Amino acid sequence: MTIDDNSGVLRETLANLRVSGSIFLRAEYTDPWAYRSVDGPTTAAMLMPSAERLVLFHLVASGRCWISLPAGEKHWAEAGDVIVIPYGDQHLMGGESVSDIVDLRTFLTPPPWSEMPVLRHGSGGARTDVICGYLHSEDLLLDPRMRAFPDIFVVHPPAGPAAQWVSASIDFALAASAGLRTDPVAARLPELLLTEVLGIHLATTPAAGGWLAALHDPIVGPAMAKLHADPRRRWTVADLASECAVSRSLLDSRFRKILKRAPIRYLTEWRLHLAEVLLADTTDPVSKIAHAVGYDSDEGFSRSFKRTRGVSPSAWRSAHSPTLPV
């Protein structure tokens, strides 16, 4: 599914998304390598002191790498992919070979910089080139309190115009980061890229158009935030209504009016959406993914997944994942 398959609400929301940011460094990592970033507030203070949090993204220009939260699953990306860390959380990143994890500050000179830094880190093996950028936005879509997105996700642009555009943008960003481009288009590249990759990702969310409208609803929005923050919890409509200080009937009616589905059905679809992210980006076994998104058994998860997607989780992974190391 592409962004063109979605409703006008999705297109309008992305068109009106107001962000500002920059590509701030490029990196040449050689296997084996791995590092730990600084935390979100520290990153924001370093790059944009007026912001509390930033959206971070990594464009993989060549090679292959993984990224994860400190205690999370490894999400794999390869050339042409875009890694998004929507809330700027502290993360780990590394190459294909096992390596000690070092603090980013051991090889990154802190700003101010007179020119764009080029990081070089690793042990001299296979090389991975990454372009790093940040963005700031006050839009509710990127509000950390809503957690409208997974904490980390990788966008694998589908074959065709989207993949070609992202690939050309990566080439453009490489040229810009080398000081070869200084025109206004280079300055807008982070905004244009974020809009495109969010569109690709949002096209797979449950009830995409209504979903965006629901974020702004005073009843459904807070309820969605609760579900997104803790999808593994055994939610009932009564629990959710109590957490949001509204009646069960009002909560149910608002969900049905805006999202065209009951709250628990929305939760099920959100869990399966998160499962797709993990199936595509990680090598975790299906049983671990089932537990991570709130299922007590992989059998129940597999039945639910196949009922809605038409294939088993393993078959879906085979069809939608890039080649990932085992």
Side-chain angles (χ1 to χ4, degrees), residues 207-226:
W211 182 86
L212 291 166
L215 288 178
H216 296 82
D217 184 80
I219 294 174
V220 178
M224 289 171 64
K226 299 282 186 185

Side-chain angles (χ1 to χ4, degrees), residues 102-119:
V102 304
D103 192 302
L104 174 65
R105 289 168 289 192
T106 62
F107 59 94
L108 170 64
T109 303
W113 300 305
S114 58
E115 58 184 20
M116 184 177 295
V118 179
L119 303 187

Side-chain angles (χ1 to χ4, degrees), residues 76-91:
W76 286 89
E78 54 191 22
D81 291 343
V82 183
I83 301 167
V84 183
I85 311 160
Y87 312 113
D89 296 317
Q90 184 178 44
H91 56 276

Side-chain angles (χ1 to χ4, degrees), residues 104 128 202:
L104 174 65
T128 299
L202 283 171

Side-chain angles (χ1 to χ4, degrees), residues 181-235:
R181 297 298 299 261
T182 58
D183 56 71
V185 175
R188 288 201 64 208
L189 183 61
E191 173 190 346
L192 297 172
L193 266 171
L194 181 73
T195 299
E196 179 67 19
V197 299
L198 290 185
I200 294 171
H201 180 79
L202 283 171
T204 66
T205 59
W211 182 86
L212 291 166
L215 288 178
H216 296 82
D217 184 80
I219 294 174
V220 178
M224 289 171 64
K226 299 282 186 185
L227 298 176
H228 292 178
D230 192 6
R232 288 189 291 184
R233 177 171 166 177
R234 293 185 177 181
W235 288 101

Side-chain angles (χ1 to χ4, degrees), residues 117-132:
V118 179
L119 303 187
R120 294 181 175 90
H121 173 61
S123 304
R127 180 166 144 177
T128 299
D129 290 282
V130 180
I131 304 161
C132 304

Side-chain angles (χ1 to χ4, degrees), residues 235-299:
W235 288 101
T236 65
V237 177
D239 292 335
L240 189 59
S242 176
E243 291 272 350
C244 297
V246 297
S247 70
R248 285 178 292 176
S249 59
L250 178 59
L251 183 68
D252 184 75
S253 66
R254 293 297 292 175
F255 262 82
R256 292 177 186 274
K257 179 177 180 179
I258 298 174
L259 290 172
K260 312 302 181 188
R261 63 226 336 110
I264 300 307
R265 181 184 164 195
Y266 172 80
L267 173 61
T268 298
E269 293 179 354
W270 181 251
R271 285 170 170 170
L272 294 176
H273 171 66
L274 295 179
E276 287 181 335
V277 172
L278 295 174
L279 288 166
D281 300 347
T282 79
T283 57
D284 289 344
V286 170
S287 58
K288 183 176 180 180
I289 291 174
H291 178 72
V293 300
Y295 284 83
D296 292 331
S297 70
D298 53 339
E299 292 85 2

